[in-house]
Amino acid sequence: MEVLYGHPKSLVSVQSKYCPGCGHGVIHRLVAEVVDELGMQEKSILLNPVGCAIWADLYFDMDTVQVPHGRTPAAATGIKRMRPDHLVICYQGDGDLAAIGTAEAVHAANRGEKFTTIFVNNAIYGMTGGQMAPTTLVGQKATTSPYGRDPGVAGMGYPIRVCEMLATLEGTKYLARGSVDSAANVRKTKQYIKRAFEAQLRGEGFSMVEILSPCPTNWQMSPAAAVDWLVSDMIPCYRLGEIKNELSTRETVGEGASLQGASLKGASLKGASLKGASLKGAAL
Amino acid sequence: MANKGKPVIDRERCKGCLLCARSCPMKVLAADETPNSWGYYPSRVVAEEKCIACGNCYQVCPDVAITVYKL
Amino acid sequence: MADEMCLMKGNEAIGEAAIRAGCDAYFGYPITPQNELTAYMAKNMLDSGRIFIQAESEVAAMSMVFGASSAGGRAMTSSSSPGISLKQEGISYACGADIPCVIVNVQRAGPGLGGIAPAQGDYFQATRGGGHGDYYHIVLAPKSVQEAADLTYEAFGLADKWRMPVMVLADGLIGQMMEGVTLPPALEPGTRPGRPWAAGSGRPLARNRITSIILDPETLEASIHSRYERYAAIAKERTSFEEVEVEDAELLFVAYGTSARVCLGAVQAAREAGLKLGLFRPITLWPFPSERLATLAAAGKRFLAVEMSMGQMVQDVRLAVNGAAQVDFFGRCGGVVPREEEVLAVAKKLLGRDA
């Protein structure tokens, strides 16, 4: 019988420590699938920092480097500069990237470092038992926001949209946000990852794929309810799609994108979706 | 003619999240009443003949516990 | 390549020595009094097609070093006291994951933002494992621009040999002053030891995992013990010190770095006046030359530790001597460099010779 969908080669075949219904499992598999499709298992280096991602080195059958919390983009900078022909993958959660490691993320992005960041956004701190994250939604309860995240009186701030924030930096070339809530979104997210990895291999950077991911345990929901909450509450806050795509192979423009002032001279628009796009001032 | 497929679930890898059953358009999968050795109630193929090999179950499974074969 | 003698600023000599030792990557952040080193590396690393990044912080720079080294490169960072505080987390990780690298601390006065004048207040931080957990790393203390170059050059080889960070503990005076220096020859390509353990090195036969997390307590304990066996081997092989006129000395100054230069002047002035003083100068602050100090104590010597601090190295002297000899201390801090005359006056007073 022909296997249509089976276990990727660069993923270790073992039961993971991740909770039932955790998005990490799907995201690990997508990364491994793309690594396999690109034939890069022997030339990939994955960085696993603090967070549930710390376990990633148990599950990826490739070289890995465990790094201090938040320093992942800095260490990846060192690694990619030393081994530019390798596929260097930062695998970070929301604490690592958007709290303790924000400076490192911003500056690596600003330098246009050529590694790819996989940013797992589950709006909470998982490993340490459910504290508020920079990505926690207003009103969302966590152990350190027991009455719900309150930007007002309690001064707890607002959810940070990292893709949009990094998009303002010229060094960033590809920033996409996917989700693993449904099979359709899982497939789209894989396309984003593939596009980002291919960009890295062409020497284009900085690339990042942010992926909305359920955390049933710390959201205190069943896996199914967690997926529902992701769709009903997270997606309206963190819009899906290619937030920024300035790659040389840009094929599609995301819904609602503005091309104000863009030059499309010589660009290929084959298969492009321009729904809602504004072409004001574009030179064609 | 519709595709036909055969999903095979590794009972001991499965953690019983049942996102696969939820994602299946043909209701091929459901919870097993017998737990595995971890204490989870894994997903079980209950209507194999209806499988159209869409792969949705594979896509959403966090544990890569499902292999989908083409028939 | 023939050695060359030239006049160089300490900071720049350190940079040139690093480049000749095959430094592949330098990551730094501006902080006085070591900015000339960062600038020297910027120009010369870029000129020679190597990696230079001015990082966003000393914290980030240390992790860049960690990354570059874990991927097989000879990596270095430099800073001064407050910035070295920032690097402690990364140093602990490098020691816990056995990652070679070179860290240069051009000390200034603390605590806090302190001052930019030279000091030796980071001895504890350097030798006690300033970050968390049980670890040590080699600490080399130069006294001159020449020694700063030599020890920096050697640091890369030591780091690779023992798989650990090596710190060059200088101070603002050494960093800023200009002296004649004969630079070591550039390392021949292909003479460096390989790193089969590095990310990107072992395939396809092995998977290389760089990590410092071991959750099982007994396994972690065993790994720490095996690292400490390595530390004992280093102590046997690489402990070093300099002795000046110690054989017949009535009192020995114990000092390192700039303090040692000051004490050397005091020894010379004393000897000219017929007073028998000597100098014991640790060069490796870790491993500390305890054995030799114990031997000198047993031979009846007394010691005066002189530091640009409130007394840090003196604790190691006391531990080494273990009550077998008199140990006194004199120090200036805040960025004040002691003078030969005042150090000599303290020694005379201790010996009852201040008339």
Side-chain angles (χ1 to χ4, degrees), chain A residues 115-180:
Chain A
F115 57 81
T116 302
T117 295
I118 302 294
F119 168 38
V120 181
N121 175 355
N122 62 3
I124 202 133
Y125 283 3
M127 173 60 78
T128 44
Q131 294 80 20
M132 189 181 86
T135 45
T136 296
L137 306 185
V138 172
Q140 183 184 342
K141 291 193 175 140
T143 66
T144 49
S145 59
Y147 308 108
R149 184 176 198 168
D150 166 27
V153 172
M156 292 176 167
Y158 300 88
I160 297 181
R161 296 184 185 87
V162 176
C163 279
E164 285 81 347
M165 186 172 82
L166 296 182
T168 68
L169 303 170
E170 279 176 65
T172 57
K173 298 299 178 214
Y174 185 75
L175 306 169
R177 184 182 287 116
S179 167
V180 293

Side-chain angles (χ1 to χ4, degrees), chain C residues 250-320:
Chain C
E250 293 177 61
L251 177 146
L252 292 179
F253 292 113
V254 185
Y256 70 94
T258 291
S259 296
R261 294 285 286 265
V262 171
C263 291
L264 187 62
V267 166
Q268 287 163 354
R271 291 271 170 180
E272 273 161 28
L275 180 59
K276 295 192 179 123
L277 300 183
L279 166 67
F280 181 88
R281 180 174 75 90
I283 300 175
T284 54
L285 301 180
W286 190 93
F288 192 70
S290 307
E291 243 182 79
R292 179 60 186 155
L293 272 169
T295 304
L296 290 168
K301 303 295 179 197
R302 65 179 292 180
F303 305 93
L304 170 59
V306 175
E307 301 175 67
M308 281 147 51
S309 76
M310 292 298 285
Q312 298 189 11
M313 184 202 60
V314 62
Q315 290 193 7
D316 278 340
V317 178
R318 292 198 169 111
L319 282 170

Side-chain angles (χ1 to χ4, degrees), chain C residues 171-190:
Chain C
D171 61 58
L173 205 132
I174 296 171
Q176 290 295 318
M177 70 186 178
M178 295 187 80
E179 291 187 307
V181 56
T182 304
L183 291 158
L187 205 64
E188 286 299 322

Side-chain angles (χ1 to χ4, degrees), chain C residues 5 25 47 81 88 103 147 159 168 173 189 304 355:
Chain C
M5 166 72 143
D47 279 353
S81 317
Q88 295 306 309
I103 301 151
E147 212 173 37
V168 177
L173 205 132
L304 170 59

Side-chain angles (χ1 to χ4, degrees), chain A residues 41-45 54-55 57 60-68 71 74-75 77-79 81-83 86 103-104 107 111 113, chain C residues 24 27 51 53 56 59-60 63-64 66-68 70-71 73 89 93 198-201 203-204 206-213 215:
Chain A
Q41 186 184 11
E42 297 303 323
K43 287 187 90 170
S44 288
I45 300 173
I54 191 72
W55 302 130
D57 66 354
F60 283 99
D61 189 12
M62 56 185 69
D63 282 6
T64 58
V65 181
Q66 187 258 309
V67 293
R71 316 298 165 224
T77 295
I79 293 172
R81 298 279 188 124
M82 276 311 302
R83 301 246 180 210
H86 277 57
E104 283 81 3
H107 286 281
R111 288 190 302 266
E113 297 292 342
Chain C
D24 296 304
F27 308 101
I51 300 164
I53 299 183
E56 52 273 23
V59 175
S63 275
M64 289 178 187
F66 184 95
S70 69
E89 165 205 62
Y93 271 79
S201 293
R203 275 79 64 80
R207 283 283 166 264
N208 286 345
R209 300 206 188 288
I210 310 285
T211 186
S212 61
I213 182 171
L215 287 177

